[in-house]
Amino acid sequence: MAHQAYRTTTVTLFGFLGGVIVTVLVGWWVLSSHMAAAGGMERSSGMANRSEMKGMDMSGGNMAGMKMDPGAKDPGQAPVTLSPTRRQTIGVKTGVVERRPFETTIRAVGIVAYDERRVKQVNLRVAGWVTNLAVNYTGQSVRAGEPLLTIYSPELAATQAEYRLARRTQARIGQSAMEPIRVGADAQVQAAAERLRRLNVSEEQIEALENQEPRPETTLVAPISGVVMKKMALQGGYATPDMPLYEIADLSTVWVHAQVYEQDLSLVALGREAEVTLAAYPNEVFRGRVVFIDPVLAPETRTTPVRMEIPNPDLRLKPGMYGDVTIRVQAEPVLAVPREAVLDSGTRTLAFLDRSDGRFEPRDIKTGRTFGDYTEVIEGLQAGDTIVTSGTFLIDSESKLMAATNMMGALGMGGIRMEQAQMGQMEMGGMEGMPGMKGMKEMAGMEGGDMKSMPGMSMGAADTPSTQTIDGLTLTLETVPAPAKKGGNTVRVTVLANDAPVTNAAVTVAYTMAMPGMEVETVKAGHTKDGVYEATVDLPMKGAWKIDATVTRPNAKPVTAHVTVQAGK
């Protein structure tokens, strides 16, 4: 059994090795057959020596006709030409650059606060005990001069007694013949009265002391009209001069604090009108003015506090309320374009100019402030310029692709043009002298120096004439000569409606090669007779060309027919 297993393993191994050898031999035979069909093209070993590659300048690493700039920059963007059909497909819209009144609105969230300039704190001038609270709760409204509380103060009673004694002394020696004594008595009265004033005793109370006994109690009155915001005084409590007893705020005018973003600060100015709306009064607008702009920016939010002063005669605006602040800005007219017309990549800002006939040119611009649906333009455009306002992103992509294609086409690569490489037509100039290349033109399908006849290289071009019926119109497209040739050709468009010739239509012919970045050329076709329109087109290279004929009748939407033709010799 072991001997039989050994034989089976040996046979399997030799079978596998034999299969590998057969596969290698078949591959070598297929490769040799293809190289022989290429007209004796030499093997790759013949390419090892660069000096044998005649007809190709390899100095500096450049091939013949391949000029490569070692310091080449990013190709950037290039002008774009689009056919009417293409423009309609991507939704291209244009507008005119013009000066517009600078009008914008700054919106922010605001909070109502009391006017700090209208807040008063009530303190005692003398220590004592509170015997009566006339204003005894927070939020109570008071008027200027209205009693707040009554305080008993032994110090005040002693000062009043001193004043009464000074007055009696002045009365006794007022008729004295000695003037210094009279002057001294008067001075004592004035000193005692001044001490009473400093203890917050009014002139009426001081005069009343002349006819009545001293009162150890005094009444504290409100300094302003307003609302009690804080009350620290307590019935029976001991109060000292360093203790605030009340805080009263006049709310007839309030402040509204709003946070304005950094980019809007240049539009905010002192005295500018502001509007405030609150959820409590949704149908009302409260108006005021900007009275203060904070000189410091908050780094966390990148905002700056802005203060508005709002009249509040009926006290409906209450500190702590939230509201929406609107600041309307109007300035001198500026050059502006719609926002959609501006493309900002972060490193450059551009817009696309409409150069007519479907040609769009990129233009670097410098923008300023944004207001409403418009952006201010500082440099790069002038009033009256026509720019793209819709479809800019797709045109931008086409522009970048065109720039990249133009750069690649500029390389030349041994006489090969990018368009011809795309379409399978490769000129062999500059390569005939290479060893092994002399048989290339004898390959099947390479007659005439291009690859269009090679198997699998069919361009799929439609035969002309091509007849199509669209929206009730019958359009027949054909070229003269047929098939088309490289160079000048006539495109003939026959337009029929219900088998009757259409003679009052406007017909345009657009043609391009079916390759990325290829510009679209557009020409107008003229009416010759019986609904036949003709236009002359120039097909500069051999290959497949896409031709669009657009027919526009009065009071009817445009109709476009398509055909692809193969330009030969």
Side-chain angles (χ1 to χ4, degrees), residues 47 99 167 209 261 339 374 417 426 526:
M47 297 289 291
R99 301 187 69 85
R167 292 292 293 182
L209 287 175
Y261 285 103
R339 286 188 180 186
Y374 297 92
R417 299 183 63 182
M426 301 176 64

Side-chain angles (χ1 to χ4, degrees), residues 49-298:
N49 188 355
R50 285 188 173 185
S51 61
E52 296 179 4
M53 298 173 65
K54 299 178 182 179
M56 295 182 68
D57 181 12
M58 300 300 293
S59 59
N62 296 336
M63 300 171 66
M66 189 173 180
K67 300 179 181 180
M68 302 178 66
D69 183 5
K73 300 181 180 179
D74 184 358
Q77 293 179 282
V80 179
T81 301
L82 302 176
S83 66
T85 303
R86 179 69 169 159
R87 295 198 300 270
Q88 185 177 7
T89 301
I90 65 178
V92 175
K93 296 180 180 179
T94 60
V96 178
V97 181
E98 57 185 354
R99 301 187 69 85
R100 295 180 177 273
F102 186 89
E103 298 180 352
T104 187
T105 301
I106 301 173
R107 303 184 187 276
V109 176
I111 183 171
V112 180
Y114 50 79
D115 188 340
E116 296 175 1
R117 301 167 300 180
R118 297 171 180 265
V119 177
K120 297 292 184 181
Q121 193 176 72
V122 179
N123 292 74
L124 292 173
R125 303 288 182 87
V126 61
W129 285 265
V130 178
T131 59
N132 180 45
L133 275 179
V135 177
N136 53 12
Y137 61 89
T138 302
Q140 186 173 346
S141 297
V142 297
R143 294 182 178 275
E146 183 177 339
L148 298 176
L149 56 78
T150 301
I151 185 170
Y152 167 75
S153 173
E155 180 183 353
L156 178 60
T159 305
Q160 289 177 347
E162 289 179 6
Y163 176 76
R164 284 176 60 82
L165 179 60
R167 292 292 293 182
R168 287 196 298 267
T169 302
Q170 182 187 37
R172 284 197 304 268
I173 64 175
Q175 303 300 324
S176 173
M178 299 180 65
E179 184 178 355
I181 294 176
R182 295 195 308 269
V183 172
D186 294 340
Q188 287 180 354
V189 172
Q190 294 297 329
E194 185 62 28
R195 284 194 295 272
L196 289 174
R197 295 188 187 97
R198 292 181 180 179
L199 295 179
N200 207 27
V201 179
S202 65
E203 292 294 335
E204 293 80 5
Q205 292 173 328
I206 293 175
E207 293 178 1
L209 287 175
E210 297 180 4
N211 303 318
Q212 63 184 14
E213 292 295 326
R215 297 182 58 186
E217 294 181 341
T218 184
T219 300
L220 194 65
V221 299
I224 60 173
S225 298
V227 176
V228 176
M229 307 301 296
K230 295 180 181 179
K231 184 190 78 69
M232 286 71 71
L234 297 175
Q235 179 74 32
Y238 183 75
T240 59
D242 60 341
M243 277 179 65
L245 300 178
Y246 293 95
E247 190 173 285
I248 302 174
D250 179 5
L251 298 181
S252 60
T253 299
V254 294
W255 286 348
V256 175
H257 297 287
Q259 302 292 328
V260 176
Y261 285 103
E262 183 177 2
Q263 63 267 23
D264 295 330
L265 284 177
S266 61
L267 304 177
V268 181
L270 296 178
R272 194 174 295 280
E273 292 186 359
E275 298 178 352
V276 180
T277 57
L278 300 100
Y281 313 107
N283 297 325
E284 295 187 55
V285 177
F286 299 87
R287 291 178 172 81
R289 293 186 178 274
V290 176
V291 296
F292 179 75
I293 302 173
D294 200 298
V296 179
L297 182 79

Side-chain angles (χ1 to χ4, degrees), residues 424-438:
Q425 178 185 345
M426 301 176 64
E427 297 178 0
M428 309 306 295
M431 300 178 69
E432 293 84 348
M434 292 176 57
M437 295 299 294
K438 61 184 179 180

Side-chain angles (χ1 to χ4, degrees), residues 410-431:
L411 297 179
M413 292 197 64
I416 301 174
R417 299 183 63 182
M418 291 300 295
E419 305 89 4
Q420 296 164 329
Q422 177 79 15
M423 300 310 301
Q425 178 185 345
M426 301 176 64
E427 297 178 0
M428 309 306 295
M431 300 178 69

Side-chain angles (χ1 to χ4, degrees), residues 311-376:
N312 186 32
D314 50 5
L315 305 184
R316 290 196 298 167
L317 299 180
K318 306 181 186 308
M321 280 185 168
Y322 281 97
D324 296 324
V325 177
T326 302
I327 302 175
R328 305 188 187 279
V329 180
Q330 294 183 346
E332 295 295 325
V334 296
L335 197 67
V337 297
R339 286 188 180 186
E340 295 81 3
V342 179
L343 290 174
D344 190 349
S345 66
T347 57
R348 63 185 300 198
T349 305
L350 57 86
F352 282 90
L353 272 71
D354 184 358
R355 293 302 192 186
S356 72
D357 296 331
R359 187 169 183 271
F360 303 98
E361 174 187 317
R363 175 70 61 85
D364 286 302
I365 63 175
K366 181 179 179 181
T367 59
R369 301 165 295 181
T370 298
F371 58 100
D373 296 329
Y374 297 92
T375 298
E376 179 184 11

